[in-house]
Structures are given as structure tokens and as C-alpha cells.
Amino acid sequence: MSTTTDIAFQKCVFPACGATYGVDEVRVRCDSCGGLLDISYDWDRLQVPPNLAWFEQKWTRRHEPLPFSGVWRFHELLPFAPPESVVTIGEGQTLLKSSPQVGRYVGQRKGELYLQYEGMNPSGSFKDNGMSAAFTHARSIGATKAACASTGNTSASLALYCSVTQSMKAIIFVGSGKIAYGKLSQALDYGALTVQIAGDFDDAMQRVREVSSRLGIYLVNSVNPFRLEGQKTIIYRILEGLQWQVPDWIAVPGGNLGNSSAFGKALMELHEIGLIPRMPRLAVINAQGADTLYQLHEVQGVRWNQAEPPLDDIEAFFHEMDAQQRRASTIASAIEINRPVNLTKCLRALEACDGVVRQVSDQEILDAKAQVGAGGLGCEPASAASVAGVKKLIAEGVIGRDERVVCILTGHQLKDPTATVAYHTTDQELFNDVLASRGVRRATYANRAVAVPNDLDEIIKAIQLYR
Ligand code: F0G
């Protein structure tokens, strides 16, 4: 247990329990009640910056590793470790880009659609934000091995941090055949021990928890509260990109619900310490074939309920899921998850941000992805769920056509080339194999390759036909 003199400590998410633990402890749940843990800070005793623009002074010190990092230049807002113990490989050099083209696609009037492109991280996804924080903690407590279950991006990130820092061995658990080649190739190249489990992500997650607890291996999945501290910085960079103005909406794909939970925490803290005047609204977007959050929040009306969520109803939902042997299934393999480990924290974020949840089909995801690509930034299928979800919410009138919306593009386009090529292909067999089998009927925005004979006149004719 922690002492009350600590400035940073781990704390159970349920205030009625309120158990606290030191930051030098390794745990993924509360000993007293089994709840998730937060990293909490005694803000009154910390030097809180006077305003968010204060962070701009760090821009002049980009030659130093901490101000250079898009995570650690906000160190004052995640002060669980001293600067000298921070592990950084230059994560968080991301881009907030206004996209009028994608704005038109989702039905916006005023060009207030922004894409927060996390594909620019060193391993190509937002996971590096959290990995840098988890690694900082892991190294400070002397861990030598780290493990995760993954749909691909967490494992790529873990493997990269291990290979760059040479300070730990990576052990990754993936569902057999459930991981896109771009991501698998990263883990293999970076030298991680890759364990392919005959099962899906939910199976791999359960096993990695058992194995890491049995063998004392450091777990870096987003049940690890330090991971989420790093992911809070995505919110800070969005605000930075908007010159510290709060947007009306932030839309994010929902899988294991680490990002949405981290966003809620970041915003609640900024509001509490007086650095933002109001909260934006949050839209969490599930894939239709992996829609636990949607079912619970929108269909069954399950709420955080001021820290008293109906845990029995949630348990009953999973019980029924098991009884019916329901498995997650979507082309957006990154979010092919039916048992999100951060569910309760995400419910808290939805309550704090007056949030909504929607589910989108694989067809909607792939069409949105093609529009994102044509609009200037490539992303993987799961990322495009945020754009597809915003389109749906604008059509419903929940998001106003003039509101300022930020969609998080969580991963790089090259993570999953199979989905992209199958969408644009002229090869019907490939289309059927990869997409039609998942209920995708048409490639609405396909950009088909043109086949021409190896003949100069024919090639010129084909180019002249192109408008
Ligand atoms: N987008 C991408 C590209 C992801 O890789 C993930 C999660 C998500 C969205 C969902 O984020 O879990 O915070 O709700 N990928 C994990 C992995 C599960 O293993 O790489 P979340």
C-alpha cells in the first residue's frame, strides 16, 4: 500500500474502495476489489504549469530527448518518474491535419474536420505513446522481460522498444492468423519471441495475464496503468495542434478501450487543474463485429453511474457471450476484441465527456479508409472506424455539421496492405476472399490499377484516358 506522502501513486478506479499503491509496485488490478488502477497525482503539491501554452517553451529545446518527445515534453502532466529515468525513442512526433476532403465525406459544412495522425510514431501506431511510459516504469523497477497479447500494434511497439533500448526481452502473444502482416513482420524483424496461440485476441489476453503473473514478466497491455499515462499525451498534442482550443468532438476507434480511457483521464485532469475551460465530447467507435461497448452502453444503457457501474449486468453480458460462443470478427483486425479490459475506465470517460458509442460495418470502415487515403493520410482499417463513426453521427444529427471534430487515425496504412489491396483490386477472387467473405459488397471508392500491354502507344493511351 502507498503512503499519503507520495506525490504520484496508484489508485483503484472505484472511490468506494479507494485503495492506493506505490508507483514502485507492479500490478494490473486492485488487490482489495479487483478494479482497474489509475496513476494519481497530488496536483496541489506539484508545480502545475500556469496554462497549456507554457509547454511551447520546450519547442526551443528539441535537441534534448525529453522536449523532443511528443510524450515527455508534457512530463509535468505525467510526473510519475524523474526525468533521468525516462525511456524515450522519439515517440509522439505526430500531426494534426485539417482535412476538408474527409470533412465533405462525413457531411461537414465548414471544414472543421481534423485528423490526428498517430501513424507517424516510430512503430507506426499510437501505441508508442503508451509504451514509452510503460517502459519507463518497467525499467525503473528492474524488469528484464516484458510481454503483451496483441492484435499487432502493441506487439510491434513492445518489440521495437526492446530492440532499440536493448534493455529487455519482448514476449508477444498473438492469435493465430489474426494479425496483419505489416505488424507481424515488425515483431519478427525486431526480434521478439512471438507466440502464436490457437485462438483470438481475447484468448491471448487471458493467457498472457496468467503467464506473466506466473513467471513474473512485466505486462505492457493497457491494463497496465502506466501505459495510459503516455497515451494521455495524444490529447495534449491535439490541443497543441488547435492552438490550445478545445474541439467539440474527439472520435476514436474502440478495441481494448485503452485510448478512450486515457483520453477521458487526460481531459478530466486538465479540467480539474484548470488548464481547459470545458470538456469536449467523446465518440468511441466499435466495429460491428466486435461491439461489446456499443451493446452495453447504447443498447443496454450501462453507465459508469458515478463510480457505481452495474458490474453484475456486465458479467452477465460476458456470460451470455460465452454461452453463445460469440467471437469478435471484423476486417479491422486491430479492434477485433470482444472483452475490452478497460471497459469500466471507458465508461467513466464516456460519463465525463458526455460521450456516445456507435458501431460501423466493415463496408463503412473500408469506404472511410479509402476516403482518408485519397484525402492525404493513409491509415489502417481500424483507424478509419473513427471517420465512419463521425459520418454516422453527423447523419443522425448527434454531431452538428459545423462542429469542430478530431478523428484519431491510430495506425499507419502500411500496417495492413492486404485489406487495402483487396479493396482496390480488379482480382475478384482476392476481393471475395478477403472482403466479400466479411459482408463487404462493393469497393465504392476503389482506385483500380490499369493493366496495359508492354507497348509505348498503349501505355500513352492509358495515361491520356486518365483524368
Ligand atoms: N487502432 C489501432 C490501430 C489499434 O492497434 C488498436 C488496438 C486500436 C485502434 C484500439 O485501441 O485498444 O485503446 O481501444 N490495438 C491493440 C493491439 C489491441 O494489440 O495492438 P484501444
Side-chain angles (χ1 to χ4, degrees), residues 39 41 69-72 74 77-78 80 91-92 118 121 126-136 224-237 258-259 262-263 265-266:
I39 307 305
Y41 304 100
S69 163
V71 170
W72 298 104
F74 298 103
L77 298 175
L78 53 150
F80 66 81
E91 56 289 316
E118 290 294 320
N121 273 290
F126 75 89
K127 301 287 180 181
D128 297 343
N129 294 286
M131 202 54 70
S132 154
F135 244 69
T136 296
N224 178 329
F226 293 94
R227 263 272 308 271
L228 301 196
E229 288 307 286
Q231 286 170 216
K232 291 191 313 190
T233 65
I234 299 171
I235 291 292
Y236 310 149
R237 295 198 301 275
N259 247 355
F263 291 5
K265 183 170 190 282

Side-chain angles (χ1 to χ4, degrees), residues 125-127 149-155 183 201 221-222 231 253-260 334-335 337 380 382-383 410-411:
S125 86
F126 75 89
K127 301 287 180 181
S150 185
T151 54
N153 281 325
T154 306
S155 53
K183 306 173 189 184
F201 173 83
N221 278 104
S222 53
Q231 286 170 216
N256 229 0
L257 305 179
N259 247 355
S260 43
I335 52 173
I337 296 172
E380 64 167 288
S383 309
T410 44

Side-chain angles (χ1 to χ4, degrees), residues 63 159 174 273 278 301 350:
H63 55 284
V174 297
I273 58 183
R278 66 180 177 89
L350 287 164

Side-chain angles (χ1 to χ4, degrees), residues 65-380:
L66 266 66
F68 177 74
S69 163
V71 170
W72 298 104
R73 74 168 169 272
F74 298 103
H75 188 197
E76 288 75 5
L77 298 175
L78 53 150
F80 66 81
E84 59 280 8
S85 70
V86 161
V87 178
T88 173
I89 64 168
E91 56 289 316
Q93 305 302 317
T94 58
L95 180 69
L96 182 81
K97 186 178 179 289
S98 152
S99 182
Q101 174 160 343
V102 177
R104 277 193 296 279
Y105 174 66
V106 298
Q108 264 216 334
R109 262 195 305 244
K110 284 201 341 197
E112 288 285 358
L113 194 281
Y114 292 82
L115 302 173
Q116 170 66 19
Y117 191 40
E118 290 294 320
M120 289 172 73
N121 273 290
S123 80
S125 86
F126 75 89
K127 301 287 180 181
D128 297 343
N129 294 286
M131 202 54 70
S132 154
F135 244 69
T136 296
H137 182 245
R139 223 168 59 172
S140 75
I141 56 102
T144 55
K145 290 193 183 111
C148 69
S150 185
T151 54
N153 281 325
T154 306
S155 53
S157 182
L158 170 61
L160 179 62
Y161 274 78
C162 285
S163 78
V164 174
T165 61
Q166 295 284 309
S167 60
M168 254 185 282
K169 293 263 176 272
I171 302 162
I172 67 166
F173 287 49
V174 297
S176 181
K178 292 286 184 183
I179 161 170
Y181 266 11
K183 306 173 189 184
L184 181 59
S185 64
Q186 288 180 287
L188 297 174
D189 234 15
Y190 300 141
L193 172 61
T194 303
V195 183
Q196 293 187 304
I197 309 245
D200 62 11
F201 173 83
D202 294 314
D203 299 316
M205 187 68 230
Q206 192 187 334
R207 289 297 180 203
V208 77
R209 288 177 88 133
E210 291 164 3
V211 170
S212 55
S213 142
R214 177 93 61 97
L215 300 182
I217 299 173
Y218 190 87
L219 186 63
V220 298
N221 278 104
S222 53
V223 273
N224 178 329
F226 293 94
R227 263 272 308 271
L228 301 196
E229 288 307 286
Q231 286 170 216
K232 291 191 313 190
T233 65
I234 299 171
I235 291 292
Y236 310 149
R237 295 198 301 275
I238 290 172
L239 294 171
E240 188 177 47
L242 295 173
Q243 292 172 14
W244 313 112
Q245 301 291 309
V246 179
D248 297 308
W249 285 89
I250 296 174
V252 62
N256 229 0
L257 305 179
N259 247 355
S260 43
S261 299
F263 291 5
K265 183 170 190 282
L267 291 161
M268 286 188 284
E269 287 173 349
L270 289 179
H271 199 247
E272 181 196 331
I273 58 183
L275 293 181
I276 53 171
R278 66 180 177 89
M279 300 286 272
R281 295 187 69 185
L282 190 63
V284 184
I285 314 299
N286 274 165
Q288 215 166 60
D291 65 347
T292 295
L293 182 67
Y294 174 79
Q295 290 298 334
L296 287 172
H297 191 263
E298 301 294 328
V299 179
Q300 299 198 9
V302 165
R303 293 291 183 273
W304 173 244
N305 192 25
Q306 295 179 23
E308 289 185 11
L311 297 175
D312 290 346
D313 293 353
I314 296 173
E315 211 36 61
F317 177 88
F318 287 126
H319 194 73
E320 196 184 320
M321 178 188 280
D322 288 345
Q324 296 179 354
Q325 299 187 331
R326 277 205 314 270
R327 290 287 173 177
S329 174
T330 167
I331 189 74
S333 57
I335 52 173
E336 197 176 50
I337 296 172
N338 260 354
R339 286 180 179 271
V341 295
N342 288 297
L343 181 64
T344 48
K345 279 187 179 174
C346 179
L347 291 173
R348 179 178 65 176
L350 287 164
E351 183 166 291
C353 299
D354 190 14
V356 298
V357 184
R358 288 294 180 272
Q359 36 134 279
V360 288
S361 66
D362 284 2
Q363 178 78 55
E364 291 169 301
I365 286 174
L366 290 180
D367 286 343
K369 179 174 126 44
Q371 288 287 310
V372 170
L377 292 172
C379 69
E380 64 167 288

